[in-house]
């Protein structure tokens, strides 16, 4: 398997075998890290980390992973670059391509990261767009595989805004890996029909299935994984909060939803999560709308079933695998 020189823009671009290869590489890198074995395979190289939206996990994962691979990093914050304001994506790609061996981009439309990749002579990694969050997918798949020992046949139920980056990406990931995906939400929040159709075709080949349902009982029944994400994503206007709370509250992950899943079901969330009043936005929402928990209750978030912090740690190991694979894995390791 050779992924050297490839971009990592969305999971749709990769075969199940290539995805499995990256997961295996991540598992190997994780084991090496735990044992204190150095993996400075890319000493002397540098990567640019562009964030047009804020981040805790993705930024830290890229920085730590790059350092572990022996590389230097330059972080461009949401306001600290000329991108899109004074300089086009095409020009930025060629400027950075002359200084760095790889470029991470977090921002708005998928078309932006696609254009960046089209012009940059080095691998480009998607650190989240409105449409897709592919590095999160590798972390989620690794976490599920570690927990259940397999991916094939696992039922993953996604509750909440399934038409945005997380819902789209999880549907693709499940279709690719032979898993059963259920979007359990109000019709308005179902993933885009053309993507559903594309995933349906993939599912027909991998043994996966896709279910879109407004019925919580049907959606969560026998789920192995119950997954959710914030109801309002980065870049969306504050005005949508009221509508989202009204429309998505029935799809909150709470004890009843978990009780309807398999007894051994786990709870997952890409994070950050609104499950208590320990955040500024959480407090503001409580004052305005009177609710203290949103997409997940504190009870579920803090329960034994919750594997969100294992999932968050795996962001680092899987992002390291993406960079290592696309920059080239040394022969002696293979
Ligand atoms: N899950 C995730 O992407 O987190 P950050 O926004 O903190 O990077
Ligand atoms: N849907 C969320 C994911 C955050 C990791 C957002 O785009 O803000």
């Amino acid at each position: 398997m050779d992924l050297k020189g490839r971009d990592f823009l969305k999971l749709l671009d990769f075969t199940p075998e290539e995805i499995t290869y990256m997961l295996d590489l991540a598992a190997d890198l994780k084991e090496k890290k735990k044992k204190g074995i150095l993996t400075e395979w890319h000493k002397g190289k540098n990567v640019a980390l562009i964030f047009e939206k804020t981040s805790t996990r993705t930024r830290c994962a890229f920085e730590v992973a790059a350092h572990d691979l022996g590389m230097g990093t330059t972080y461009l914050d949401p306001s600290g670059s000329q991108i899109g304001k004074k300089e086009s994506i095409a020009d930025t790609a060629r400027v950075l391509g002359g200084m760095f061996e790889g470029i991470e981009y977090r921002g708005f439309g998928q078309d932006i990261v696609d254009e960046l990749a089209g012009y940059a002579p080095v691998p480009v990694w998607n650190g989240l767009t409105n449409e897709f969050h592919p590095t999160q997918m590798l972390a989620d798949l690794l976490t599920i595989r570690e927990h259940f020992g397999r991916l094939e046949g696992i039922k993953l139920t996604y509750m909440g805004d399934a038409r945005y980056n997380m819902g789209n990406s999880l549907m693709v990931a499940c279709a690719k890996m032979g898993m059963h995906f259920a979007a359990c939400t109000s019709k308005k929040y179902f993933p885009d029909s053309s993507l559903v159709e594309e995933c349906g075709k993939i599912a027909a080949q991998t043994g996966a299935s896709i279910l879109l349902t407004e019925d919580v009982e049907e959606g969560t029944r026998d789920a192995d994984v119950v997954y959710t994400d914030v109801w309002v994503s980065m870049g969306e206007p504050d005005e949508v909060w009221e509508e989202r709370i009204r429309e998505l509250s029935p799809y909150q992950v709470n004890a009843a939803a978990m009780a309807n899943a398999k007894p051994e079901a786990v709870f997952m969330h890409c994070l950050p999560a609104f499950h208590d009043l320990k955040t500024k936005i959480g407090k503001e929402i409580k004052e305005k709308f009177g609710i203290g928990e949103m997409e997940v209750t504190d009870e579920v978030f803090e329960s034994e079933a919750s594997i969100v912090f294992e999932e968050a740690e795996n962001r680092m190991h899987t992002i390291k695998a993406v960079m290592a694979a696309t920059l080239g894995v040394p022969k002696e390791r293979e």
Side-chain angles (χ1 to χ4, degrees):
M1 187 71 66
D2 187 9
L3 301 180
K4 191 171 175 186
R6 292 273 295 272
D7 298 309
F8 187 76
L9 304 176
K10 57 186 185 306
L11 233 48
L12 280 171
D13 302 336
F14 292 84
T15 64
E17 292 72 29
E18 288 169 340
I19 295 167
T20 301
Y21 168 78
M22 287 186 275
L23 295 178
D24 291 345
L25 180 58
D28 183 31
L29 286 163
K30 182 173 181 176
E31 198 185 324
K32 285 189 164 66
K33 172 92 179 177
K34 301 279 175 199
K35 288 184 177 156
I37 300 169
L38 297 182
T39 53
E40 293 171 313
W41 300 340
H42 294 290
K43 245 186 175 155
K45 294 183 182 169
N46 291 285
V47 295
L49 308 176
I50 306 169
F51 283 82
E52 299 210 88
K53 290 176 179 170
T54 54
S55 167
T56 297
R57 275 147 293 275
T58 311
R59 176 189 175 178
C60 294
F62 267 100
E63 290 207 11
V64 173
H67 296 154
D68 283 356
L69 290 170
M71 302 192 288
T73 56
T74 297
Y75 171 69
L76 295 163
D77 75 24
S79 59
S81 77
Q82 315 279 25
I83 301 167
K85 293 164 226 118
K86 280 176 68 182
E87 192 158 31
S88 69
I89 296 296
D91 292 356
T92 306
R94 288 171 289 179
V95 169
L96 297 182
M99 297 184 200
F100 297 94
E101 275 77 19
I103 303 168
E104 179 277 351
Y105 177 85
R106 164 173 288 198
F108 296 89
Q110 182 73 17
D111 54 327
I112 301 173
V113 77
D114 287 346
E115 189 181 356
L116 191 68
Y119 282 95
V122 298
V124 170
W125 309 300
N126 177 1
L128 177 145
T129 58
N130 295 345
E131 292 87 349
F132 293 111
H133 196 3
T135 61
Q136 180 74 49
M137 289 310 102
L138 291 186
D140 294 349
L141 292 174
L142 181 66
T143 311
I144 294 167
R145 201 177 75 168
E146 284 175 346
H147 192 86
F148 293 102
R150 69 193 162 93
L151 291 173
E152 235 173 78
I154 293 289
K155 177 174 176 180
L156 184 148
T157 299
Y158 181 87
M159 302 177 81
D161 185 2
R163 62 187 177 172
Y164 218 68
N165 43 28
M166 287 304 304
N168 288 344
S169 301
L170 284 164
M171 181 170 67
V172 172
C174 289
K176 288 271 178 187
M177 305 316 284
M179 297 164 68
H180 304 297
F181 175 80
C184 178
T185 186
S186 159
K187 235 187 204 106
K188 179 172 161 188
Y189 297 92
F190 283 172
D192 177 64
S193 55
S194 62
L195 187 62
V196 174
E197 200 182 313
E198 192 172 354
C199 288
K201 285 185 193 145
I202 299 168
Q205 295 182 343
T206 62
S209 66
I210 291 159
L211 170 74
L212 309 179
T213 179
E214 292 193 294
D215 185 325
V216 174
E217 236 235 80
E218 183 190 20
T220 55
R221 192 183 305 138
D222 291 332
D224 297 286
V225 180
V226 181
Y227 202 118
T228 190
D229 178 23
V230 289
W231 288 341
V232 178
S233 287
M234 290 183 277
E236 295 196 286
D238 284 346
E239 292 74 62
V240 301
W241 271 113
E242 188 182 352
E243 181 184 84
R244 293 290 162 83
I245 290 170
R246 187 167 18 88
E247 294 173 342
L248 294 177
S249 285
Y251 302 97
Q252 180 191 60
V253 179
N254 50 32
M258 291 304 292
N260 200 43
K262 283 198 183 139
E264 63 277 16
V266 295
F267 168 70
M268 295 178 72
H269 191 309
C270 54
L271 305 181
F274 291 119
H275 59 95
D276 59 20
L277 294 173
K278 293 177 189 160
T279 65
K280 186 170 169 274
I281 293 178
K283 283 186 195 119
E284 283 168 12
I285 296 293
K286 169 81 176 159
E287 266 168 42
K288 250 179 141 171
F289 304 105
I291 59 161
E293 303 164 316
M294 283 186 259
E295 71 273 12
V296 57
T297 60
D298 198 46
E299 184 187 7
V300 170
F301 187 89
E302 296 293 355
S303 71
E304 285 286 307
S306 175
I307 55 169
V308 296
F309 297 112
E310 288 91 325
E311 183 185 0
E313 179 191 322
N314 281 339
R315 298 297 309 287
M316 200 283 284
H317 306 298
T318 45
I319 280 173
K320 194 186 288 178
V322 169
M323 289 195 288
T326 54
L327 293 174
V329 174
K331 280 278 167 287
E332 61 272 23
R333 184 261 164 202
E334 289 175 303

